[in-house]
Amino acid sequence: MEKIARLQQIIDESSNLVFFGGAGVSTESGIPDFRSVDGLYHQEWEFPPETILSHTFFLKKPAEFYRFYQAKMLCDTAKPNAAHKKLAQLEEQGKLKAIVTQNIDHLHQMAGSKRVLELHGSVYRNYCVKCGSFYDFTYMKDCKGIPRCSKCGGIIKPDVVLYEESLDQNILKESIRSISQADTLIIGGTSLSVYPAASLVDYFGGKHLVVINRDKTPQDDRAELVINQPIAEVFNQIGK
């Protein structure tokens, strides 16, 4: 409780707070972290997730890519948890200036957050590689086999950053700007092992650095406050 009280105090003192989050924020909403071995991958998938979700694999084996993508990446049953909701509330209060997320599930927006910088894109945006036509989540979820454009027949690609692809430079710049201007940075639900995203926290030079994650992270020694608990559990105790 002492750490929760300190977190509350830091939030109360902050006027320019930025949240940097990863998969751990979404797993508590029921979205699986594909890096976690759940046994199914070994039985059902011939290749590891990191291989399937690569640019090369998408080009060479699109049918197998979409079989995995539709089965594992398109979760429409997840709902925002206490962390998503509290962050949206802090933004509404004017304290939280940006969410920088590695997640692609749109849960922050569903909770009401407006300023969400999606480093790895979103499964809710999909575009034809030929004509650029937009397709939504439902279209991709309902497709059988390789999703094709109804206008030109081109393959529809998720607006998701695959392995071997570069991050969107505008999102990257905006994330760096937000983090570098923050007086408080809360890192949550991420092991900070995915680069270049993880390196963005190095741009923080503000007053309070907080890490909320079940396991250790490379930023723990630098942080003023480290809470090794599930993030939704922690945020559920804030502001009451």
Side-chain angles (χ1 to χ4, degrees):
M1 286 301 292
E2 192 179 313
K3 287 192 172 186
I4 300 295
R6 178 58 187 141
L7 176 60
Q8 182 70 68
Q9 187 181 12
I10 288 170
I11 290 172
D12 291 343
E13 288 175 5
S14 302
S15 59
N16 188 339
L17 199 157
V18 169
F19 179 79
F20 181 92
V25 183
S26 297
T27 51
E28 291 179 72
S29 288
I31 292 181
D33 175 2
F34 71 82
R35 281 182 191 81
S36 305
V37 178
D38 63 7
L40 284 176
Y41 295 143
H42 296 297
Q43 299 160 25
E44 192 178 344
W45 312 103
E46 195 179 335
F47 304 93
E50 287 85 351
T51 301
I52 297 172
L53 295 173
S54 68
H55 183 77
T56 301
F57 197 92
F58 172 77
L59 294 177
K60 288 184 175 178
K61 295 178 181 286
E64 183 67 5
F65 171 89
Y66 276 110
R67 192 168 76 87
F68 179 88
Y69 182 78
Q70 288 172 319
K72 291 290 178 184
M73 309 300 284
L74 297 181
C75 178
D76 56 0
T77 56
K79 298 283 186 285
N81 60 47
H84 297 106
K85 291 172 184 174
K86 180 56 65 177
L87 289 166
Q89 190 182 331
L90 289 171
E91 182 186 53
E92 201 176 326
Q93 292 168 357
K95 282 187 172 294
L96 184 76
K97 303 304 182 185
I99 292 170
V100 181
T101 180
Q102 299 171 79
N103 298 333
I104 58 175
D105 49 47
H106 206 68
L107 287 175
H108 285 295
Q109 290 92 331
M110 288 182 198
S113 292
K114 306 282 191 297
R115 182 114 172 92
V116 184
L117 299 165
E118 297 170 310
L119 292 171
H120 296 151
S122 171
V123 294
Y124 280 77
R125 296 187 301 269
N126 307 274
Y127 299 95
C128 172
V129 296
K130 274 190 183 177
C131 71
S133 293
F134 171 85
Y135 290 89
D136 63 12
F137 180 96
T138 306
Y139 186 92
M140 300 298 279
K141 183 79 174 173
D142 294 343
C143 270
K144 300 290 183 262
I146 301 170
R148 296 259 174 203
C149 178
S150 58
K151 297 171 185 172
C152 75
I155 292 179
I156 302 167
K157 183 181 181 294
D159 188 16
V160 169
V161 180
L162 302 177
Y163 287 95
E164 304 166 349
E165 293 180 343
S166 301
L167 301 186
D168 182 296
Q169 289 303 301
N170 291 328
I171 297 289
L172 203 55
K173 284 177 188 172
E174 198 53 38
S175 298
I176 290 169
R177 191 185 69 79
S178 297
I179 289 170
S180 63
Q181 291 179 354
D183 59 17
T184 297
L185 178 65
I186 298 178
I187 299 168
T190 173
S191 59
L192 296 174
S193 59
V194 177
Y195 285 83
S199 62
L200 295 184
V201 300
D202 293 335
Y203 288 93
F204 177 68
K207 193 174 180 184
H208 306 292
L209 179 63
V210 177
V211 175
I212 306 168
N213 197 52
R214 291 185 188 209
D215 304 312
K216 289 183 178 180
T217 82
Q219 292 289 338
D220 286 8
D221 292 342
R222 183 185 165 202
E224 173 186 341
L225 178 64
V226 177
I227 304 176
N228 294 126
Q229 290 177 39
I231 190 159
E233 194 179 285
V234 171
F235 273 103
N236 200 36
Q237 300 172 71
I238 295 298
K240 290 193 170 181

